[in-house]
Amino acid sequence: EKYGLRFARESRRQLAEMVQLSGLTTFENIVHVENKAAIRWIEWLGFHIDRQVGKDWLHFQATAEQLLARNMKKEAAHGRGC
């Protein structure tokens, strides 16, 4: 899926830019437990699912440092700078 991979890679770059510009140290949110595609994407971006919230939601989080380190590692593996 040509555009799916392009979207995923660009979303990682955009996330890194948002992290840098925000000045925040932790990022978190929730995702519906049945949204398997979103869960895979969230984990691919570098977030960690850490607990269930109610019966239908999963909480995920990551530090700015974790997200930026993951982005830089992936960019280097693909021969691109940040």
Side-chain angles (χ1 to χ4, degrees), residues 12 66-80 82:
R12 185 179 277 146
Q66 290 168 328
L67 295 171
L68 292 173
R70 182 171 179 95
N71 184 61
M72 289 182 354
K73 185 168 90 176
K74 295 294 182 179
E75 289 290 319
H78 288 32
R80 293 184 289 269
C82 273

Side-chain angles (χ1 to χ4, degrees), residues 4-66:
L5 184 56
R6 184 181 292 173
F7 170 80
R9 287 184 178 154
E10 184 60 28
S11 67
R12 185 179 277 146
R13 283 191 282 278
Q14 292 297 319
L15 176 62
E17 188 173 334
M18 287 188 297
V19 167
Q20 290 173 328
L21 292 174
S22 74
L24 299 172
T25 58
T26 304
F27 298 82
E28 62 183 323
N29 208 332
I30 58 174
V31 62
H32 196 274
V33 32
E34 293 180 10
N35 195 340
K36 302 302 182 195
I39 292 168
R40 283 191 309 273
W41 179 53
I42 287 164
E43 291 175 330
W44 186 81
L45 287 170
F47 289 92
H48 303 281
I49 305 234
D50 59 357
R51 69 180 183 272
Q52 190 155 342
V53 179
K55 71 174 198 153
D56 294 328
W57 301 95
L58 299 172
H59 179 266
F60 62 92
Q61 68 174 352
T63 65
E65 186 177 320
Q66 290 168 328

